Amino acid sequence: MHIYPDAKAVVRALAPDEPVILNRPHAAARAARFFIEKFPGKTLYAVKANPTPELILALWEAGITHYDVASIAEVRLVRSLLPHAVLCFMHPIKASAAIAEAYHKHGVKTFSLDSVEELEKIINACRDPETGEPAADLRLAVRLRVSSEYSELSLASKFGCDLLEAPGLLQQTRQHADWLGVCFHVGSQAMSPFAFVQALDRTRAAIAEASVVIDMIDVGGGFPSIYPDLEPAPMEDYFAIIAKHFESLPIAYNAELWCEPGRALCAEYSSMIVRVEKRRSGELYINDGAYGALYDAAHVSWRFPVRALEDDLRDADEDFAFYGPTCDDADYMQGPFALPGDIQAGDYIEIGMLGAYGAAMKTGFNGFGTAEQVIVTDEPMASLYDGSRQRPDADNVVSLR
Ligand SMILES: *Cc1c(COP(=O)(O)O)cnc(C)c1O
């Protein structure tokens, strides 16, 4: 990938007719180091948030050794890049063939499940193909359903066993695994550390009821990034509250604590340059949209930060909405996005904080979707990790019970 100082330099050099993704490996590495130093346990990277190979390599170099993969394609991708990484197959509903290939061919030992059917599927897929003996080295994590009430994007309804089923499933799973974990996901962009308190309370109830030995607690993803209107509490607050509640769980004395952030590790990694193709009063027709890297801007009205890349715009900022390039009316992003009032067709805009669920979402629908990728060395439009945000002290740690 070519390296430029910033988005303006890219526009000067390329005057790009198509969107350009700007990647900041230094920002991803900084996020990884932050988690490795401050999270009181092990940090996995949830690959689905952004599977760009250069990002995965940057995280590995920064010290991330474990990867949460959710499909056989993600297993193959990460294994091809990182022969020594530990891969954890954390999608609770997998195809038998995917489990078998992951276990027998790629050395995956850790799997999540939320039902007896999935437990049986895993046991059968991992049997020795010659002797039919069940695998003795499985590491299994039971996914609990927890509330998403503190999160911007819910993950509460699809996966996870409920509190009534959990004790039985934990007991059954324990019989097939020497190493048993509990995992959950509080929903993405959890705006309060209390999301994790609630989930860990549920975890406590399930473990107490099951009375089995638990070797690992995986608090999942959901750690926030910063966007306009979405300024979370300091990340240290999340870590402190998780540590506190983890320590009081009825689990093995040497039990491990894991987390598997996607967004928090990669949101700052990418931004994107788009061009205004037409202006219709307060609406800008740009060359990326709902079927490109701006899926969340269209589908959940996410407001990403923006800035104009022209030096000759003089007017004060006004609020704009965007239309994407496809012929679909739904290719619309209401924003509002604040840009100079005299912005016009032909001008370029940088849209920030697209590293998570942005660059990863691009499709080729309607013939749009190609984007060159380059590296830039400037700072992301916002950062949780550059030291500019407050560190927790007695006043702003939200009640450590
Ligand atoms: C998507 C996902 C993650 C990452 O979630 P973020 O909100 O991006 O941190 C982690 N674990 C699982 C099982 C997921 O499905």
Side-chain angles (χ1 to χ4, degrees), residues 83-98:
H84 303 295
V86 178
L87 308 187
C88 304
F89 208 151
M90 302 306 277
H91 192 308
I93 304 174
K94 298 168 283 297
S96 288

Side-chain angles (χ1 to χ4, degrees), residues 206-261:
I207 297 172
E209 187 69 31
S211 29
V212 292
V213 178
I214 298 292
D215 305 289
M216 186 276 285
I217 302 289
D218 176 354
V219 298
F223 298 91
S225 184
I226 332 179
Y227 306 87
D229 303 339
L230 293 175
E231 286 240 5
M235 197 66 90
E236 286 95 337
D237 290 12
Y238 290 74
F239 295 175
I241 231 164
I242 289 168
K244 167 116 179 156
H245 286 260
F246 169 74
E247 275 156 23
S248 64
L249 289 176
I251 50 182
Y253 75 94
N254 59 347
E256 296 172 49
L257 173 63
W258 289 13
C259 67
E260 40 183 54

Side-chain angles (χ1 to χ4, degrees), residues 173-195:
T173 307
R174 178 85 261 182
Q175 293 168 17
H176 300 279
D178 269 353
W179 187 93
L180 175 64
V182 173
C183 59
F184 54 77
H185 197 301
V186 299
S188 207
Q189 186 75 10
M191 291 302 292
S192 164
F194 280 107

Side-chain angles (χ1 to χ4, degrees), residues 179-326:
W179 187 93
L180 175 64
V182 173
C183 59
F184 54 77
H185 197 301
V186 299
S188 207
Q189 186 75 10
M191 291 302 292
S192 164
F194 280 107
F196 291 91
V197 174
Q198 242 177 18
L200 286 165
D201 279 350
R202 278 199 164 207
T203 304
R204 163 195 304 286
I207 297 172
E209 187 69 31
S211 29
V212 292
V213 178
I214 298 292
D215 305 289
M216 186 276 285
I217 302 289
D218 176 354
V219 298
F223 298 91
S225 184
I226 332 179
Y227 306 87
D229 303 339
L230 293 175
E231 286 240 5
M235 197 66 90
E236 286 95 337
D237 290 12
Y238 290 74
F239 295 175
I241 231 164
I242 289 168
K244 167 116 179 156
H245 286 260
F246 169 74
E247 275 156 23
S248 64
L249 289 176
I251 50 182
Y253 75 94
N254 59 347
E256 296 172 49
L257 173 63
W258 289 13
C259 67
E260 40 183 54
R263 180 185 305 280
L265 289 180
C266 65
E268 299 178 19
Y269 177 63
S270 306
S271 61
M272 177 172 62
I273 297 172
V274 296
R275 188 168 65 187
V276 179
E277 303 295 2
K278 172 193 159 106
R279 174 170 176 178
R280 187 175 77 180
S281 64
E283 293 161 341
L284 303 178
Y285 293 67
I286 60 175
N287 57 356
D288 197 82
Y291 298 92
L294 298 173
Y295 182 95
D296 281 344
H299 291 90
V300 289
S301 303
W302 205 278
R303 285 184 60 212
F304 294 97
V306 295
R307 66 180 161 217
L309 296 173
E310 315 298 323
D311 290 325
D312 60 347
L313 299 177
R314 299 274 171 260
D315 289 6
D317 281 355
E318 291 174 16
D319 282 344
F320 289 94
F322 293 158
Y323 274 111
T326 69

Side-chain angles (χ1 to χ4, degrees), residues 108-126:
V108 178
K109 311 282 186 214
T110 306
F111 297 89
S112 82
L113 59 112
D114 64 1
S115 66
V116 177
E117 297 75 40
E118 188 73 9
L119 174 62
E120 285 166 357
K121 218 195 280 174
I122 294 169
I123 293 164
N124 285 327
C126 298

